[in-house]
Amino acid sequence: MDFKDKIVVVTGGAQGIGRCIAHEFEKAGATVCVIDKLLGDHFVGDLADKYVLEAFAREVIGRHGHVDYLVNNALPLMKGIDECSYEEFQYALSVGVTAPFYLSKLFMPHFAEQAAIVNISSSRDRMSQPQTESYTAAKGGIAALTHALAVSLAGKVRVNSISPGWIDTNYTDYEGADAIQHPVGRVGNPMDIANMVLYLCSEKAGFITGENICIDGGMTRRMIYHGDNGWRLKE
């Protein structure tokens, strides 16, 4: 896919899945604008801060004049009901839901023709571990925000979301039960997500909007009981 001369914004793009997405767009010819808390050669700032978002948007538009694709990828805080404070829960929602909404709003007058937004949710938007409320609520929120934006921005911007499952950002080669529990036979890696992001931003996905695509190797579709796929119930 050719993204020559396209302007792409990636939040949380300095590490992990976000960095992979940014690199793949750059390899395809795009100019990528990254915002991340991690120090580096990009816009450094906290996505929970309204004024940081406004300053970032001004810089992007000031330099490039428009945005073709917005990828809301930044990772919210994960804490559970036992330990998560009110302020921490609000912070997770600010990063995971409010920032994607506000960046979409800030860039709305500047989206180019055939623009697209891709929101990174999580398979945790439909399943949970204990003590993950802040992260899970944020990921469920961005999945719902996706179809709301798709309707509001109809005819202007296509909006979709991706729900990654187990993605190992170190590209570890897992064996045994960790791999077997996935119907595809392996744990995911960032390229599995980046490939779909680029597809959803391309003209090939021109008839797709308001959708959530779960990329988890089939893990959320497989029921596992005692003795299945190497897992045993502890006695």
Side-chain angles (χ1 to χ4, degrees):
M1 288 176 279
D2 182 10
F3 292 99
K4 188 175 185 296
D5 300 326
K6 299 297 185 181
I7 306 301
V8 184
V9 172
V10 181
T11 70
Q15 53 192 323
I17 293 172
R19 182 172 61 180
C20 181
I21 292 168
H23 284 176
E24 289 305 302
F25 269 118
E26 288 171 345
K27 284 164 56 178
T31 296
V32 181
C33 305
V34 167
I35 180 172
D36 201 295
K37 286 179 67 176
L38 190 70
L39 295 177
D41 187 21
H42 52 262
F43 191 100
V44 178
D46 189 342
L47 286 159
D49 187 329
K50 172 187 176 183
Y51 301 105
V52 167
L53 297 175
E54 290 173 346
F56 175 61
R58 282 196 302 269
E59 179 172 301
V60 171
I61 298 307
R63 287 188 177 184
H64 306 290
H66 73 280
V67 171
D68 292 284
Y69 313 118
L70 169 61
V71 183
N72 290 304
N73 164 80
L75 199 65
L77 176 74
M78 183 187 286
K79 276 198 170 185
I81 194 167
D82 288 354
E83 301 293 336
C84 188
S85 68
Y86 178 90
E87 291 77 15
E88 288 171 326
F89 193 84
Q90 287 289 345
Y91 182 80
L93 295 183
S94 293
V95 172
V97 183
T98 306
F101 164 78
Y102 198 44
L103 284 177
S104 300
K105 182 178 179 68
L106 290 170
F107 289 131
M108 188 166 59
H110 308 287
F111 278 117
E113 187 177 351
Q114 297 183 331
I117 297 172
V118 179
N119 296 321
I120 305 300
S121 181
S122 168
S123 59
R124 293 171 188 268
D125 63 9
R126 68 204 68 190
M127 58 191 298
S128 291
Q129 289 176 297
Q131 303 302 320
T132 62
E133 279 75 14
S134 66
Y135 184 91
T136 300
K139 291 304 187 181
I142 199 170
L145 177 65
T146 295
H147 57 75
L149 285 173
V151 174
S152 294
L153 302 181
K156 300 176 182 178
V157 184
R158 291 184 302 101
V159 188
N160 293 289
S161 64
I162 295 171
S163 291
W166 182 355
I167 303 296
D168 191 290
T169 56
N170 294 317
Y171 296 85
T172 305
D173 187 12
Y174 289 88
E175 297 180 352
D178 287 333
I180 296 170
Q181 67 177 309
H182 295 78
V184 299
R186 67 173 176 85
V187 171
N189 65 65
M191 281 299 300
D192 293 313
I193 308 307
N195 286 334
M196 181 56 72
V197 171
L198 268 67
Y199 171 74
L200 288 173
C201 289
S202 75
E203 293 180 0
K204 294 181 179 181
F207 198 55
I208 303 174
T209 194
E211 283 300 316
N212 173 273
I213 300 171
C214 186
I215 302 179
D216 68 345
M219 191 173 178
T220 55
R221 298 301 189 190
R222 169 170 275 171
M223 297 176 67
I224 300 178
Y225 291 95
H226 173 71
D228 291 344
N229 302 296
W231 292 97
R232 302 189 66 80
L233 180 67
K234 290 183 179 179
E235 297 179 355

Coordinates of all heavy atoms in Angstrom, one line a residue, residues 86-159:
Y86 N -9.9 7.3 42.5 CA -10.7 8.1 41.6 C -9.9 8.9 40.6 O -10.3 8.9 39.4 CB -11.5 9.1 42.5 CG -12.4 10.0 41.7 CD1 -13.8 9.7 41.4 CD2 -12.0 11.3 41.2 CE1 -14.6 10.5 40.7 CE2 -12.8 12.1 40.5 CZ -14.1 11.7 40.2 OH -15.0 12.5 39.5
E87 N -8.8 9.5 41.0 CA -8.0 10.3 40.1 C -7.3 9.4 39.0 O -7.2 9.8 37.9 CB -6.9 11.0 40.9 CG -7.5 12.2 41.7 CD -8.1 11.7 43.0 OE1 -7.9 10.5 43.4 OE2 -8.8 12.5 43.7
E88 N -6.9 8.2 39.4 CA -6.3 7.3 38.5 C -7.3 6.8 37.5 O -6.9 6.6 36.3 CB -5.6 6.1 39.2 CG -4.4 6.5 40.0 CD -3.9 5.4 40.9 OE1 -4.7 4.7 41.5 OE2 -2.6 5.3 41.1
F89 N -8.5 6.5 37.9 CA -9.5 6.0 37.0 C -9.8 7.1 36.0 O -10.0 6.9 34.8 CB -10.8 5.6 37.8 CG -11.8 4.9 36.9 CD1 -11.7 3.5 36.8 CD2 -12.8 5.5 36.3 CE1 -12.6 2.8 36.0 CE2 -13.7 4.8 35.5 CZ -13.6 3.5 35.4
Q90 N -10.0 8.4 36.5 CA -10.2 9.5 35.6 C -9.1 9.7 34.6 O -9.3 10.0 33.4 CB -10.4 10.8 36.4 CG -11.7 10.9 37.1 CD -12.9 11.1 36.2 OE1 -12.8 11.4 35.0 NE2 -14.1 10.8 36.7
Y91 N -7.9 9.5 35.1 CA -6.7 9.6 34.2 C -6.7 8.6 33.1 O -6.4 8.9 31.9 CB -5.4 9.5 35.0 CG -4.1 9.7 34.2 CD1 -3.7 10.9 33.9 CD2 -3.4 8.6 33.7 CE1 -2.5 11.1 33.1 CE2 -2.3 8.7 33.0 CZ -1.8 10.0 32.7 OH -0.7 10.2 31.9
A92 N -7.1 7.3 33.4 CA -7.1 6.3 32.4 C -8.2 6.6 31.3 O -7.9 6.5 30.1 CB -7.5 4.9 33.1
L93 N -9.3 7.2 31.7 CA -10.3 7.5 30.8 C -9.9 8.8 30.0 O -10.2 8.9 28.8 CB -11.7 7.8 31.5 CG -12.3 6.7 32.2 CD1 -13.7 7.1 32.8 CD2 -12.6 5.5 31.2
S94 N -9.2 9.7 30.6 CA -8.7 10.8 29.8 C -7.7 10.4 28.7 O -7.8 11.0 27.6 CB -7.9 11.8 30.8 OG -8.8 12.4 31.7
V95 N -6.8 9.5 29.0 CA -5.9 9.0 28.0 C -6.6 8.1 26.9 O -6.4 8.2 25.7 CB -4.7 8.2 28.6 CG1 -3.9 7.6 27.5 CG2 -3.9 9.2 29.5
G96 N -7.5 7.2 27.4 CA -8.0 6.2 26.6 C -9.3 6.6 25.8 O -9.6 6.0 24.8
V97 N -10.0 7.6 26.3 CA -11.3 8.0 25.6 C -11.4 9.4 25.3 O -11.6 9.8 24.2 CB -12.5 7.6 26.5 CG1 -13.8 7.9 25.8 CG2 -12.5 6.1 26.9
T98 N -11.1 10.3 26.3 CA -11.2 11.7 26.1 C -10.2 12.2 25.0 O -10.6 13.0 24.1 CB -11.0 12.5 27.4 OG1 -11.9 12.0 28.4 CG2 -11.3 14.0 27.2
A99 N -9.0 11.8 25.1 CA -7.9 12.2 24.2 C -8.3 11.9 22.7 O -8.2 12.7 21.8 CB -6.6 11.7 24.5
P100 N -8.7 10.6 22.5 CA -9.1 10.3 21.1 C -10.3 11.1 20.6 O -10.3 11.5 19.4 CB -9.5 8.8 21.2 CG -8.6 8.3 22.3 CD -8.6 9.4 23.3
F101 N -11.2 11.4 21.5 CA -12.4 12.2 21.1 C -11.9 13.6 20.8 O -12.3 14.2 19.7 CB -13.4 12.3 22.2 CG -14.4 13.4 22.1 CD1 -15.4 13.3 21.2 CD2 -14.2 14.6 22.8 CE1 -16.3 14.4 21.0 CE2 -15.1 15.7 22.7 CZ -16.1 15.6 21.8
Y102 N -11.1 14.2 21.7 CA -10.7 15.6 21.5 C -9.8 15.8 20.3 O -9.9 16.8 19.6 CB -10.0 16.1 22.8 CG -10.0 17.6 22.9 CD1 -11.1 18.4 22.5 CD2 -8.9 18.3 23.3 CE1 -11.1 19.8 22.6 CE2 -8.8 19.7 23.4 CZ -10.0 20.4 23.0 OH -9.9 21.8 23.1
L103 N -8.8 14.9 20.1 CA -8.0 15.0 18.9 C -8.8 14.9 17.6 O -8.6 15.6 16.6 CB -6.9 13.9 18.9 CG -5.7 14.1 19.8 CD1 -4.8 12.9 19.8 CD2 -5.0 15.4 19.5
S104 N -9.8 14.0 17.6 CA -10.7 13.9 16.5 C -11.4 15.2 16.2 O -11.6 15.7 15.1 CB -11.7 12.8 16.7 OG -11.1 11.5 16.8
K105 N -11.9 15.8 17.3 CA -12.5 17.1 17.2 C -11.6 18.2 16.7 O -12.0 19.0 15.9 CB -13.1 17.5 18.6 CG -13.9 18.8 18.6 CD -14.5 19.0 20.0 CE -15.2 20.3 20.1 NZ -16.5 20.3 19.3
L106 N -10.4 18.2 17.3 CA -9.4 19.3 16.9 C -9.0 19.2 15.4 O -8.8 20.2 14.7 CB -8.2 19.2 17.8 CG -8.3 19.6 19.2 CD1 -7.1 19.2 20.0 CD2 -8.6 21.1 19.3
F107 N -8.9 17.9 14.9 CA -8.5 17.7 13.5 C -9.6 17.7 12.6 O -9.4 17.7 11.3 CB -7.7 16.4 13.4 CG -6.3 16.4 14.0 CD1 -5.9 15.4 14.9 CD2 -5.4 17.4 13.8 CE1 -4.7 15.4 15.4 CE2 -4.2 17.4 14.3 CZ -3.8 16.4 15.2
M108 N -10.9 17.7 13.1 CA -12.0 17.6 12.2 C -12.1 18.6 11.0 O -12.3 18.2 9.9 CB -13.3 17.7 13.0 CG -14.6 17.4 12.2 SD -16.0 17.1 13.3 CE -16.1 18.7 14.2
P109 N -11.7 19.9 11.3 CA -11.8 20.8 10.1 C -10.6 20.6 9.2 O -10.6 21.2 8.1 CB -11.6 22.2 10.8 CG -11.9 22.0 12.2 CD -11.5 20.6 12.5
H110 N -9.6 19.8 9.5 CA -8.4 19.6 8.8 C -8.2 18.3 8.2 O -7.2 18.0 7.6 CB -7.2 20.0 9.7 CG -7.3 21.3 10.4 ND1 -7.2 22.5 9.7 CD2 -7.6 21.6 11.7 CE1 -7.4 23.5 10.6 NE2 -7.7 23.0 11.8
F111 N -9.2 17.4 8.3 CA -9.1 16.0 7.7 C -9.1 16.2 6.2 O -10.0 16.9 5.7 CB -10.1 15.1 8.2 CG -9.8 14.4 9.5 CD1 -10.6 14.7 10.6 CD2 -8.7 13.6 9.7 CE1 -10.4 14.1 11.9 CE2 -8.5 13.0 10.9 CZ -9.3 13.3 12.0
A112 N -8.2 15.5 5.5 CA -8.2 15.5 4.0 C -9.3 14.6 3.5 O -10.0 13.9 4.2 CB -6.9 15.0 3.5
E113 N -9.5 14.7 2.2 CA -10.5 13.8 1.6 C -10.1 12.4 1.7 O -8.9 12.0 1.7 CB -10.6 14.2 0.1 CG -11.7 13.5 -0.7 CD -11.8 13.9 -2.1 OE1 -11.1 14.9 -2.5 OE2 -12.5 13.3 -2.9
Q114 N -11.0 11.5 2.0 CA -10.8 10.1 2.2 C -10.0 9.8 3.4 O -9.2 8.9 3.5 CB -10.2 9.4 1.0 CG -11.0 9.5 -0.3 CD -10.4 8.8 -1.5 OE1 -9.2 8.7 -1.6 NE2 -11.3 8.2 -2.3
A115 N -10.1 10.6 4.4 CA -9.4 10.5 5.7 C -10.0 9.3 6.5 O -11.1 8.8 6.2 CB -9.5 11.8 6.5
A116 N -9.2 8.9 7.5 CA -9.6 7.7 8.3 C -9.1 7.9 9.7 O -8.0 8.4 9.9 CB -9.2 6.4 7.7
I117 N -9.9 7.4 10.7 CA -9.4 7.3 12.1 C -9.4 5.8 12.4 O -10.4 5.1 12.1 CB -10.4 8.1 13.0 CG1 -10.4 9.6 12.7 CG2 -10.0 7.8 14.5 CD1 -11.4 10.3 13.5
V118 N -8.4 5.4 13.1 CA -8.3 4.0 13.6 C -8.1 4.1 15.1 O -7.0 4.6 15.5 CB -7.3 3.1 12.9 CG1 -7.3 1.7 13.5 CG2 -7.5 3.0 11.4
N119 N -9.0 3.6 15.9 CA -8.8 3.5 17.3 C -8.4 2.2 17.8 O -8.9 1.2 17.3 CB -10.1 3.9 18.0 CG -10.6 5.3 17.7 OD1 -9.8 6.2 17.6 ND2 -11.9 5.5 17.5
I120 N -7.4 2.1 18.7 CA -6.9 0.8 19.2 C -7.6 0.5 20.5 O -7.4 1.2 21.5 CB -5.4 0.8 19.4 CG1 -4.7 1.2 18.0 CG2 -4.9 -0.6 19.8 CD1 -5.0 0.3 16.9
S121 N -8.5 -0.4 20.5 CA -9.2 -0.9 21.7 C -8.5 -2.1 22.2 O -7.2 -2.1 22.3 CB -10.7 -1.2 21.3 OG -11.4 -1.6 22.5
S122 N -9.1 -3.1 22.6 CA -8.5 -4.3 23.1 C -9.6 -5.4 23.2 O -10.8 -5.1 23.4 CB -8.0 -4.0 24.6 OG -7.6 -5.2 25.2
S123 N -9.1 -6.7 23.2 CA -10.1 -7.7 23.4 C -10.7 -7.7 24.8 O -11.7 -8.3 25.1 CB -9.5 -9.1 23.2 OG -8.4 -9.3 24.0
R124 N -10.1 -6.9 25.7 CA -10.6 -6.6 27.0 C -11.9 -5.8 27.0 O -12.5 -5.5 28.0 CB -9.6 -6.0 27.9 CG -8.4 -6.9 28.2 CD -7.3 -6.1 28.9 NE -6.1 -6.9 29.1 CZ -5.8 -7.6 30.1 NH1 -6.6 -7.7 31.1 NH2 -4.7 -8.3 30.2
D125 N -12.2 -5.3 25.8 CA -13.5 -4.6 25.7 C -14.7 -5.6 25.7 O -15.9 -5.2 25.8 CB -13.6 -3.7 24.4 CG -13.5 -4.6 23.1 OD1 -13.6 -5.8 23.2 OD2 -13.3 -3.9 22.0
R126 N -14.4 -6.9 25.7 CA -15.4 -7.9 25.8 C -15.1 -9.0 26.8 O -15.9 -9.9 27.0 CB -15.6 -8.5 24.4 CG -14.4 -9.3 23.9 CD -14.4 -9.4 22.4 NE -14.1 -8.1 21.9 CZ -14.2 -7.8 20.6 NH1 -14.6 -8.7 19.7 NH2 -13.9 -6.5 20.2
M127 N -14.0 -9.0 27.5 CA -13.6 -10.0 28.4 C -12.6 -9.4 29.4 O -12.0 -8.4 29.1 CB -13.0 -11.2 27.7 CG -11.7 -10.9 26.9 SD -11.1 -12.2 25.9 CE -10.7 -13.5 27.0
S128 N -12.5 -9.9 30.6 CA -11.7 -9.3 31.6 C -10.9 -10.3 32.5 O -11.3 -11.4 32.7 CB -12.6 -8.4 32.6 OG -13.1 -7.3 31.9
Q129 N -9.8 -9.7 33.1 CA -9.1 -10.3 34.2 C -9.5 -9.5 35.4 O -9.9 -8.4 35.3 CB -7.6 -10.3 34.0 CG -7.0 -11.2 33.0 CD -5.5 -11.0 32.8 OE1 -5.1 -9.9 32.5 NE2 -4.8 -12.0 33.1
P130 N -9.4 -10.1 36.6 CA -9.6 -9.3 37.8 C -8.7 -8.1 37.9 O -7.5 -8.2 37.4 CB -9.4 -10.3 39.0 CG -9.5 -11.7 38.4 CD -9.0 -11.5 37.0
Q131 N -9.2 -7.1 38.5 CA -8.3 -5.9 38.9 C -7.8 -5.2 37.6 O -6.6 -4.8 37.5 CB -7.2 -6.3 39.8 CG -7.7 -6.9 41.1 CD -8.6 -6.0 41.9 OE1 -8.4 -4.8 42.0 NE2 -9.6 -6.6 42.5
T132 N -8.7 -5.0 36.6 CA -8.3 -4.3 35.4 C -9.3 -3.2 35.0 O -9.4 -2.8 33.9 CB -8.1 -5.3 34.2 OG1 -9.4 -5.9 34.0 CG2 -7.1 -6.3 34.5
E133 N -10.0 -2.7 36.0 CA -11.2 -1.9 35.6 C -10.8 -0.6 34.9 O -11.6 -0.2 33.9 CB -12.0 -1.5 36.9 CG -12.9 -2.6 37.4 CD -12.2 -3.7 38.1 OE1 -11.0 -3.6 38.4 OE2 -12.8 -4.8 38.3
S134 N -9.8 0.1 35.2 CA -9.5 1.4 34.6 C -9.2 1.2 33.1 O -9.7 1.9 32.2 CB -8.3 2.1 35.3 OG -7.1 1.4 35.1
Y135 N -8.4 0.2 32.8 CA -8.0 -0.1 31.4 C -9.2 -0.6 30.6 O -9.4 -0.2 29.5 CB -6.8 -1.2 31.4 CG -6.3 -1.5 30.1 CD1 -5.2 -0.8 29.6 CD2 -6.8 -2.5 29.3 CE1 -4.6 -1.1 28.3 CE2 -6.2 -2.9 28.1 CZ -5.1 -2.1 27.6 OH -4.6 -2.5 26.4
T136 N -9.9 -1.6 31.2 CA -11.0 -2.2 30.5 C -12.1 -1.2 30.2 O -12.7 -1.1 29.1 CB -11.6 -3.3 31.4 OG1 -10.6 -4.3 31.6 CG2 -12.8 -4.0 30.7
A137 N -12.4 -0.3 31.2 CA -13.4 0.8 30.9 C -13.0 1.7 29.8 O -13.8 2.1 28.9 CB -13.6 1.6 32.2
A138 N -11.7 2.0 29.8 CA -11.2 2.9 28.7 C -11.3 2.2 27.3 O -11.7 2.9 26.3 CB -9.7 3.3 29.0
K139 N -10.9 1.0 27.3 CA -11.0 0.2 26.0 C -12.4 0.0 25.5 O -12.7 0.1 24.3 CB -10.2 -1.1 26.1 CG -8.7 -0.9 26.3 CD -8.1 -0.1 25.1 CE -6.6 0.0 25.2 NZ -6.0 0.8 24.1
G140 N -13.3 -0.3 26.5 CA -14.7 -0.4 26.1 C -15.2 1.0 25.6 O -16.0 1.0 24.7
G141 N -14.8 2.1 26.2 CA -15.2 3.4 25.8 C -14.8 3.8 24.4 O -15.6 4.3 23.6
I142 N -13.5 3.4 24.1 CA -13.1 3.8 22.7 C -13.7 2.9 21.7 O -13.9 3.4 20.5 CB -11.5 3.8 22.6 CG1 -11.0 4.6 21.4 CG2 -11.0 2.3 22.6 CD1 -9.5 4.8 21.4
A143 N -14.1 1.7 22.0 CA -14.8 0.9 21.0 C -16.2 1.5 20.7 O -16.6 1.5 19.6 CB -14.9 -0.5 21.6
A144 N -16.9 2.0 21.8 CA -18.2 2.6 21.6 C -18.0 4.0 20.9 O -18.8 4.3 20.0 CB -18.9 2.8 22.9
L145 N -17.0 4.7 21.3 CA -16.7 6.0 20.6 C -16.5 5.8 19.1 O -16.9 6.7 18.3 CB -15.5 6.6 21.2 CG -15.0 8.0 20.7 CD1 -16.0 9.1 20.9 CD2 -13.6 8.3 21.2
T146 N -16.0 4.7 18.7 CA -15.7 4.5 17.3 C -17.0 4.5 16.5 O -17.0 5.2 15.4 CB -15.0 3.1 17.1 OG1 -13.7 3.1 17.8 CG2 -14.9 2.8 15.7
H147 N -18.0 3.8 16.9 CA -19.2 3.8 16.0 C -20.0 5.1 16.1 O -20.6 5.6 15.2 CB -20.1 2.6 16.2 CG -20.6 2.4 17.6 ND1 -21.6 3.1 18.2 CD2 -20.2 1.4 18.6 CE1 -21.8 2.7 19.4 NE2 -21.0 1.7 19.7
A148 N -19.9 5.8 17.3 CA -20.5 7.1 17.4 C -19.8 8.1 16.4 O -20.5 8.9 15.7 CB -20.4 7.6 18.8
L149 N -18.5 8.1 16.4 CA -17.8 9.0 15.5 C -18.0 8.7 14.0 O -18.1 9.6 13.2 CB -16.3 9.0 15.8 CG -15.7 9.7 17.0 CD1 -14.3 9.4 17.2 CD2 -16.0 11.2 16.9
A150 N -18.1 7.4 13.7 CA -18.4 6.9 12.4 C -19.7 7.5 11.8 O -19.7 7.9 10.6 CB -18.4 5.4 12.3
V151 N -20.7 7.6 12.7 CA -22.0 8.2 12.3 C -21.9 9.7 12.2 O -22.4 10.3 11.2 CB -23.1 7.7 13.2 CG1 -24.4 8.4 12.9 CG2 -23.2 6.2 13.2
S152 N -21.3 10.3 13.2 CA -21.2 11.8 13.1 C -20.3 12.3 12.0 O -20.6 13.4 11.4 CB -20.6 12.3 14.5 OG -21.5 12.0 15.5
L153 N -19.3 11.6 11.6 CA -18.4 12.0 10.6 C -18.6 11.3 9.2 O -17.8 11.4 8.3 CB -16.9 11.7 11.0 CG -16.4 12.4 12.3 CD1 -15.0 12.0 12.6 CD2 -16.6 13.9 12.3
A154 N -19.8 10.7 9.1 CA -20.2 10.0 7.9 C -20.0 11.0 6.7 O -20.4 12.1 6.7 CB -21.6 9.6 8.0
G155 N -19.4 10.4 5.6 CA -19.2 11.2 4.4 C -17.9 12.0 4.4 O -17.5 12.6 3.4
K156 N -17.3 12.1 5.6 CA -16.1 12.9 5.8 C -14.9 12.1 6.2 O -13.8 12.2 5.6 CB -16.3 14.0 6.8 CG -17.4 15.0 6.5 CD -17.6 16.0 7.6 CE -18.8 16.9 7.3 NZ -19.0 17.9 8.5
V157 N -15.1 11.3 7.2 CA -14.0 10.4 7.7 C -14.5 9.0 8.1 O -15.6 8.9 8.7 CB -13.4 11.0 9.0 CG1 -12.2 10.2 9.5 CG2 -13.0 12.5 8.8
R158 N -13.8 8.0 7.6 CA -14.2 6.7 8.1 C -13.5 6.4 9.4 O -12.4 6.8 9.6 CB -13.7 5.6 7.1 CG -14.4 5.6 5.7 CD -14.0 4.5 4.8 NE -12.6 4.5 4.5 CZ -11.7 3.8 5.1 NH1 -12.0 2.9 6.0 NH2 -10.4 3.9 4.7
V159 N -14.3 5.8 10.3 CA -13.8 5.5 11.7 C -14.0 4.0 12.0 O -15.1 3.5 12.0 CB -14.5 6.4 12.7 CG1 -13.8 6.3 14.1 CG2 -14.5 7.8 12.3

